[in-house]
Amino acid sequence: MIKRLTSLAQACSWLAVVTTLGLVLLLLGFLGLRGFDALNPALFFGKTPAWAAITARLPVWHGIWPACVGTVTLVLLASLLAIPLGLASGIYLASYAPGPWKRWFALAVELLAAIPSIVMGLFGFALILFLKKTLAPQANTCLLLSAGCLALLVLPYLILMTQTTLEALPSELRLTGLSLGFTPWQNLVHILLPAGGRGILSGVILAVGRAAEDTAVILLTGVVANAGLPSGILGKYEALPFHIFYLAAEARSDAELAQGFGAALVLLLLTAALFLGAYYLQNTLAKAWKQKDLLI
Amino acid sequence: MEAKRPVDLEPSVRVEHLHVSFGGREVLHDLSAQFAPGEITVILGRSGSGKSTFLRALNRLNECFPGSATRGSVRLKLQGQWRDIYREALPLTELRRRVGMVMQTPHLLPVSIAANLALPLKLVLGLPRREIPARVAGALKEAHLWEEVADRLDAPAHTLSGGQQQRLCLARVLALEPEILLVDEPTASLDFRASLKVEELLLSLKERYTIIAVSHSLSQARRLADAALIFRDGSVAERLSREDLQAPDTLQALLEEIF
Amino acid sequence: MVISCASVLAILGFLAYFALPIFAGGHLGEIFSWEWRPFQGQCGILPMAVGSFLLAVTAMGLAYPLGLGICGFAHGLGPRWLRRPLLGLIHFLTSIPTVIYGFVSVIFLVPLVRGIFPESTGYSWLTAALTLSLMVLPTIVLLIQAQLQQVDGRVRLASAALGFSPAQTFLWVLGPQASRGLWAAAVLGFSRALGDTIIALMVAGNAPQVPHSLLDSIRTLTAHIALVVATDSTSQAYQSIFASGLILFMVTTAINLTLRRLQSGTRPAASHD
């Protein structure tokens, strides 16, 4: 009886794994095959010469170059906003400092983490409506707004990642510095942060990946299908995920569909590269830190 | 309870009515004790009797644990002056430098042997770069480690053996020129031979420091102690002199008390 | 650091502030109704609420057993050497952008569904549930995995010493021990599925109706927000999206608070020597 149950469970688990693997292979294979054909300079720049497009001398019409630039700008801007805030908050939460606010703050971070991205986008949208009615009638959805909302979206990941990394450090490491007479700040900068660096850095990278792939937030906060290169942080812009979304619904020709596949593959490669980068860091920086003298 | 012993030395640590609790649970209860310089006092007691907490009360390291609360007075004689560490505004970092601590397992920083000593010197004492090597060498010699590591100061510290690591920790503390040494079961993670070496080192250091050591080995206490405190349920149950420790009948009583 | 705290708290407050006026406006009855005809002034969002719930439940219903199976595989039911690559792959899957799941589904799954069921357009509850389940699968696996890992450390040696095989350990020790965590993973996965916008928007068809079969088109709250913002509508329609946002916000918040309470009961107290 027991034996029967065990083998039944084993069979089910095999089935689950094989099904999943099959689906994933199907997904990636489909995308890879169709996308690979589309992967060429024309995908990025259309009929515009590549160099002229990269130096922004000529506009690109039938390529995903503006979307790529838009996504990169967006992600950089969002990181700029989120990373300092996220690290500082995470450090605060990981410290033993018994502040009366700490528990409430931890709760707020958890709640923020649970907010669906569309709600975050709606928040940005509401903010603009609010500004339009009150302070700045000309306010409109734009790159900066999207970046701000994306920053909010990834902020809790950054905070939690920093916090858990620092808390996972052996407590003796924390005590060693303090028992030698380090100030808490010295302890943080010279011991805890270097020790937790890899974890925090990989958290940052994952957050960047999350910001790069999100579509729902930017959908409500200023992305458009045809804006060309972003004109400034208060202008509209294009982005890769939105471009893919748009093509899935609106593609009218095989060429456009092929571009959709190409764009999807590019985005996938981007997020995969970020993921692998984070993974690599987690595995190697630990060793590097042990061998080299990074502290002094 | 407290057996009087001839006070041949002026004490340098006076603890009076010390209470320490974590999250409302009292770990140390109305504890009073004195410790003299030039002696090794060994603290014995069952696990959970508050030995480590007591040591950490002397350099205020308990405050690094959540929910800790301390009452009572702890006065230390530092640089010829009595300081009440829980009342006077002696900077925490200054206190922890003057009251050096070595923990149960070697707590190395994951860097090279030399950097383990150099980093605190640079950060805590703010020594200029050129003075550091001499100081490092001096401390390593004091900890009887110099001959063993002189040729590989830049090797990662974790390549040392357990006993060497523990002596490195001691050297790191000594480099900061403390006056009081707190040693929390320094040989708990070491084999017998390495333990003896650490004990030898502690004996050689006792002339210059006030040493308070936690141990759970009675034989170690007999080898090291000038005096011993027996802890029970967060306070001092008994104080024994060196002679008491050697006497066979107290020994029997102690064995039953502790183990 | 004080600034960062303050800003996080401010954001949360701001979100709540924007959603509140709906309840002051007195249009509650209109918004919580079953009809969505914005041009006749009927802006009910209940069909979307039902749609969100149904889609999330079905997607979880598909993904959870799979996730459990995969975790079982990794924890004793399958060969040990496959464990690391399998979990690595699952980890990698979390990095696939949602929009790509949606894209492939539009190109591949929608025509497939249409081919099998000619009466459907292919943009349906079924398609969305299938796609969404694949999307939340890695999250679920990682959540369950984290729970199992915690228990595993405690019981592995003990049960091995009793002569249990790895498979038996999983079925009779690990699983039951982690049951609370398994529930938590299911609820968190549900909350993740509920929050998804893009897949629902791309493949669920977006008809504001209560579906009668798996092949009907449905619209979720999340997709509703995106659609209304995109198609500049009446002011009442705008109010309905804030109500939708608030519902989503409250549901995810409630889920989180409940889980937090559950977990705080199991956390061991810190001990001191």
Side-chain angles (χ1 to χ4, degrees):
Chain A
M1 180 62 195
I2 298 259
K3 220 169 190 158
R4 270 265 228 24
L5 261 176
T6 311
S7 11
L8 185 70
Q10 270 170 333
C12 287
S13 81
W14 271 100
L15 189 69
V17 170
V18 170
T19 313
T20 309
L21 285 185
L23 288 174
V24 170
L25 273 181
L26 198 71
L27 176 85
L28 294 181
F30 194 60
L31 195 65
L33 282 180
R34 300 278 304 259
F36 190 72
D37 290 337
L39 225 41
N40 52 45
L43 168 71
F44 288 93
F45 307 114
K47 295 189 180 78
T48 315
W51 186 245
I54 291 172
T55 51
R57 277 186 295 119
L58 291 174
V60 174
W61 293 118
H62 296 286
I64 60 168
W65 177 245
C68 294
V69 175
T71 287
V72 169
T73 324
L74 184 67
V75 167
L76 282 180
L77 211 53
S79 310
L80 215 61
L81 293 170
I83 290 173
L85 212 59
L87 293 194
S89 306
I91 290 167
Y92 169 75
L93 278 180
S95 67
Y96 279 138
W101 286 97
K102 195 166 142 178
R103 271 191 51 212
W104 292 106
F105 182 56
L107 181 67
V109 171
E110 262 179 58
L111 294 186
L112 199 61
I115 293 179
S117 63
I118 189 89
V119 177
M120 211 59 95
L122 186 62
F123 166 68
F125 183 70
L127 191 64
I128 287 298
L129 285 185
F130 179 71
L131 284 179
K132 263 186 180 161
K133 270 189 226 155
T134 55
L135 300 171
Q138 74 283 12
N140 211 336
T141 53
C142 61
L143 186 59
L144 181 65
L145 180 70
S146 295
C149 291
L150 278 183
L152 283 187
L153 188 72
V154 299
L155 187 61
Y157 290 81
L158 282 170
I159 297 177
L160 291 175
M161 199 72 180
T162 310
Q163 184 194 356
T164 46
T165 307
L166 289 179
E167 280 178 351
L169 294 178
S171 66
E172 47 258 38
L173 205 59
R174 186 190 297 271
L175 287 183
T176 305
L178 292 176
S179 77
L180 290 171
F182 286 25
T183 62
W185 178 250
Q186 287 173 334
N187 206 32
L188 180 73
V189 172
H190 292 275
I191 298 184
L192 300 182
L193 282 187
R198 68 200 170 95
I200 295 173
L201 198 58
S202 69
V204 166
I205 294 178
L206 290 179
V208 166
R210 181 91 179 76
E213 70 105 0
D214 193 87
T215 321
V217 167
I218 59 176
L219 202 59
L220 302 195
T221 54
V223 77
V224 286
N226 279 305
L229 293 173
S231 55
I233 58 171
L234 294 178
K236 304 273 186 194
Y237 61 95
E238 292 181 33
L240 269 182
F242 180 74
H243 197 68
I244 298 164
F245 169 75
Y246 176 79
L247 285 178
E250 309 280 332
R252 277 176 300 270
S253 63
D254 281 350
E256 282 189 337
L257 204 60
Q259 195 188 49
F261 276 107
L265 193 60
V266 169
L267 183 63
L268 181 65
L269 290 177
L270 177 73
T271 52
L274 285 173
F275 173 81
L276 291 177
Y279 191 76
Y280 173 78
L281 273 175
Q282 283 189 338
N283 282 330
T284 55
L285 251 175
K287 292 175 206 152
W289 194 67
K290 272 186 184 143
Q291 282 154 9
K292 266 196 226 132
D293 206 346
L294 293 181
L295 290 187
I296 279 202
Chain B
M1 292 282 274
E2 200 171 312
K4 282 267 177 274
R5 55 184 288 278
V7 177
D8 40 15
L9 284 160
E10 188 68 10
S12 58
V13 177
R14 288 179 197 270
V15 178
E16 274 155 16
H17 307 295
L18 181 70
H19 296 256
V20 178
S21 59
F22 293 102
R25 199 171 63 89
E26 199 157 85
V27 177
L28 291 185
H29 174 70
D30 196 23
L31 192 149
S32 301
Q34 296 186 353
F35 303 89
E39 284 192 348
I40 298 178
T41 309
V42 175
I43 299 177
L44 293 160
R46 289 185 191 171
S47 56
S49 60
K51 295 169 298 192
S52 300
T53 303
F54 175 71
L55 282 196
R56 289 198 296 256
L58 299 184
N59 66 353
R60 295 181 58 180
L61 208 57
N62 283 324
E63 287 159 38
C64 299
F65 294 87
S68 82
T70 307
R71 284 187 294 133
S73 93
V74 174
R75 286 181 298 153
L76 310 177
K77 198 172 194 177
L78 299 174
Q79 294 178 300
Q81 267 195 350
W82 282 102
R83 306 274 206 156
D84 188 332
I85 59 169
Y86 284 95
R87 280 201 197 99
E88 262 172 72
L90 178 68
L92 214 51
T93 55
E94 174 75 9
L95 169 72
R96 290 183 183 151
R97 164 169 105 71
R98 297 270 172 211
V99 184
M101 182 176 220
V102 177
M103 309 195 205
Q104 278 187 25
T105 49
H107 286 182
L108 297 173
L109 301 174
V111 285
S112 72
I113 295 170
N116 255 289
L117 276 78
L119 186 69
L121 286 174
K122 186 178 120 190
L123 294 179
V124 179
L125 295 186
L127 282 190
R129 201 168 266 268
R130 63 197 142 74
E131 287 179 27
I132 290 181
R135 199 66 175 263
V136 168
L140 285 173
K141 281 175 190 150
E142 201 178 358
H144 302 183
L145 197 60
W146 178 250
E147 289 82 30
E148 294 161 60
V149 301
D151 54 339
R152 49 172 178 147
L153 287 175
D154 292 324
H158 62 84
T159 57
L160 294 175
S161 74
Q164 288 173 326
Q165 288 188 10
Q166 199 58 299
R167 279 180 286 145
L168 181 64
C169 287
L170 251 170
R172 192 171 61 187
V173 165
L174 295 176
L176 293 172
E177 303 185 326
E179 295 172 51
I180 298 167
L181 283 182
L182 308 176
V183 194
D184 191 352
E185 298 193 24
T187 58
S189 59
L190 304 182
D191 62 38
F192 183 66
R193 198 177 275 275
S195 300
L196 281 186
K197 261 197 157 153
V198 171
E199 285 172 18
E200 220 172 83
L201 171 60
L202 286 175
L203 283 170
S204 77
L205 291 172
K206 79 172 187 181
E207 298 290 307
R208 273 164 292 153
Y209 306 95
T210 308
I211 299 181
I212 306 175
V214 165
S215 174
H216 58 205
S217 148
L218 199 54
S219 51
Q220 183 175 57
R222 294 175 75 194
R223 288 193 296 272
L224 283 180
D226 294 299
L229 294 180
I230 314 301
F231 272 37
R232 189 197 296 148
D233 301 331
S235 57
V236 179
E238 210 169 342
R239 185 185 174 103
L240 302 170
S241 67
R242 191 172 180 79
E243 295 71 44
D244 294 337
L245 274 175
Q246 311 300 340
D249 47 336
T250 25
L251 208 61
Q252 189 56 43
L254 264 183
L255 277 173
E256 277 162 25
E257 161 72 33
I258 303 174
F259 303 104
Chain C
M1 282 173 216
V2 178
I3 302 171
S4 61
C5 297
S7 57
V8 171
L9 292 175
I11 289 153
L12 220 57
F14 218 50
L15 275 175
Y17 171 79
F18 270 120
L20 281 179
I22 315 154
F23 293 100
H27 297 296
L28 263 188
E30 292 159 38
I31 283 168
F32 290 98
S33 70
W34 294 100
E35 292 300 324
W36 173 260
R37 289 194 210 94
F39 298 106
Q40 283 111 56
Q42 287 177 307
C43 295
I45 56 167
L46 286 185
M48 292 68 149
V50 172
S52 272
F53 179 76
L54 289 179
L55 183 58
V57 167
T58 41
M60 276 306 289
L62 291 168
Y64 196 76
L66 271 186
L68 208 53
I70 291 174
C71 284
F73 193 87
H75 275 273
L77 293 182
R80 240 189 118 58
W81 59 270
L82 260 174
R83 177 181 168 156
R84 266 183 70 87
L86 180 67
L87 289 177
L89 178 76
I90 297 286
H91 231 108
F92 171 74
L93 289 185
T94 57
S95 78
I96 297 182
T98 317
V99 71
I100 287 181
Y101 287 104
F103 184 77
V104 172
S105 181
V106 167
I107 309 296
F108 181 76
L109 195 59
V110 168
L112 192 71
V113 170
R114 196 188 303 144
I116 298 173
F117 306 100
E119 72 275 18
S120 161
T121 58
Y123 292 95
S124 65
W125 179 7
L126 177 69
T127 323
L130 287 171
T131 317
L132 192 56
S133 64
L134 191 59
M135 198 274 280
V136 294
L137 182 64
T139 312
I140 295 172
V141 171
L142 293 180
L143 284 168
I144 301 179
Q145 158 73 10
Q147 300 292 344
L148 288 178
Q149 197 110 56
Q150 269 185 1
V151 183
D152 202 18
R154 277 185 278 138
V155 302
R156 169 163 299 262
L157 270 180
S159 54
L162 290 172
F164 287 12
S165 73
Q168 287 168 332
T169 306
F170 175 76
L171 289 174
W172 279 279
V173 185
L174 214 49
Q177 281 280 314
S179 64
R180 203 178 208 175
L182 297 186
W183 273 108
V187 175
L188 279 174
F190 175 79
S191 142
R192 178 112 165 76
L194 199 64
D196 166 75
T197 309
I198 296 306
I199 287 176
L201 189 59
M202 287 172 95
V203 300
N206 298 319
Q209 62 185 11
V210 177
H212 296 292
S213 83
L214 273 173
L215 296 172
D216 277 353
S217 155
I218 58 172
R219 183 189 284 199
T220 62
L221 288 171
T222 49
H224 178 65
I225 296 175
L227 286 166
V228 170
V229 171
T231 58
D232 228 20
S233 237
T234 60
S235 78
Q236 221 184 352
Y238 271 143
Q239 286 196 339
S240 84
I241 62 172
F242 288 116
S244 310
L246 191 65
I247 293 177
L248 287 169
F249 176 67
M250 289 199 308
V251 170
T252 50
T253 302
I255 287 175
N256 254 277
L257 288 180
T258 319
L259 282 182
R260 195 183 160 86
R261 177 158 289 182
L262 271 181
Q263 278 164 353
S264 68
T266 57
R267 217 167 270 166
S271 66
H272 289 279
D273 190 356

